[in-house]
Amino acid sequence: MAKILKIYPENPQENLVNEVIKTLNNGGLIIYPSDTIYALGCNIFDIKAMEKLAQLKKIKLDKAKFSIICNDLSHLSDFTRPIETSVFRFLKSHLPGPFTFILEANKSLPLAYKGHKTIGIRVPDHSIPQLIVEKLGHPIASTSIRDDDEIIEYSTDPELIAEKYDHLVDIVIDSGYGDNVASTIVDLTSGEPEIIRQGKGII
């Protein structure tokens, strides 16, 4: 059964955040809040956790396009090819924020991402995922829990989310109601922003 932890941005309890970190380090799956919708996350360096995440989304891991959640732009060079100054400035002006930026991947990606030519980077404007990444010491893999054929409450009400994913994840972080609009996906591989999916963020 999933454990529900009430962690709020205003005053996150350190012991609860540490429990999330321990779960991630032990290969667990979490559902966490963001500046857009609630999302599924796991340790990007734990291949078994990544496989569980892919199974949950009913896709093969080598076909999965899980975003990488960072707490700032300092991790960019770990996953992406060198980017132009103008692109970095563009990223800096829009992050943290409700965007997923597609960038060219380098050859140092975690095992689960090997062979990917591009990678999606997110820096949510929400203190909980930022705190998790900071305390974990590295980014987490992430994918939306929102499905187009589901009633909207499942993506906004943490209690309903926990009910649905009760036997599928280890922890559900309850930070109150979430948004029901996903991030805007922007492709920056050409150097110029190309909107792939219009979501909450406006470029």
Side-chain angles (χ1 to χ4, degrees), residues 42-54 60-66 68 79 108-116 118-119 141:
C42 75
N43 186 340
I44 55 172
F45 295 109
D46 190 315
I47 192 69
K48 289 185 178 178
M50 294 291 290
E51 286 171 347
K52 284 193 290 184
L53 192 61
K60 290 184 177 181
L61 184 54
D62 61 351
K63 302 293 183 187
K65 294 182 179 180
F66 298 139
I68 290 180
F79 308 109
S108 302
L109 291 175
L111 184 60
Y113 292 89
K114 287 298 180 186
H116 288 219
T118 60
I119 194 74

Side-chain angles (χ1 to χ4, degrees), residues 43-95:
N43 186 340
I44 55 172
F45 295 109
D46 190 315
I47 192 69
K48 289 185 178 178
M50 294 291 290
E51 286 171 347
K52 284 193 290 184
L53 192 61
Q55 287 171 2
L56 199 51
K57 295 292 285 187
K58 296 181 172 60
I59 52 176
K60 290 184 177 181
L61 184 54
D62 61 351
K63 302 293 183 187
K65 294 182 179 180
F66 298 139
S67 299
I68 290 180
I69 302 295
C70 304
N71 62 330
D72 56 36
L73 292 175
S74 63
H75 291 286
L76 269 187
S77 60
D78 295 337
F79 308 109
T80 68
R81 290 187 174 187
I83 57 177
E84 295 178 6
T85 303
S86 59
V87 174
F88 184 80
R89 285 176 181 160
F90 179 82
L91 289 168
K92 201 170 180 181
S93 68
H94 288 84
L95 294 174

Side-chain angles (χ1 to χ4, degrees), residues 8-29:
Y8 299 105
E10 300 79 20
N11 186 28
Q13 291 178 257
E14 188 173 2
N15 64 313
L16 298 182
V17 175
N18 288 339
E19 190 170 346
V20 174
I21 303 308
K22 184 178 178 181
T23 296
L24 288 169
N25 280 327
N26 288 335
L29 301 186

Side-chain angles (χ1 to χ4, degrees), residues 31-40 67 69 94-100 121-130 142-146 152 154-158 161 175-185 197-202:
I31 290 177
Y32 70 93
S34 75
D35 54 351
T36 55
I37 56 182
Y38 272 87
L40 288 151
S67 299
I69 302 295
H94 288 84
L95 294 174
F99 302 96
T100 300
I121 301 290
R122 278 269 280 136
V123 183
D125 188 13
H126 195 293
S127 61
I128 299 302
Q130 287 185 14
S142 180
T143 182
S144 163
I145 65 167
R146 181 173 180 262
I152 213 153
Y154 275 112
S155 64
T156 61
D157 186 336
I161 292 169
S175 282
Y177 277 87
D179 206 331
N180 59 11
V181 181
S183 65
T184 292
I185 300 176
R197 179 186 71 192
Q198 182 62 60
K200 186 178 179 181
I202 303 297

Side-chain angles (χ1 to χ4, degrees), residues 155-175:
S155 64
T156 61
D157 186 336
E159 289 188 9
L160 290 177
I161 292 169
E163 188 179 299
K164 181 187 175 185
Y165 287 90
D166 188 33
H167 296 287
L168 301 172
V169 301
D170 299 278
I171 285 177
V172 175
I173 299 174
D174 180 351
S175 282

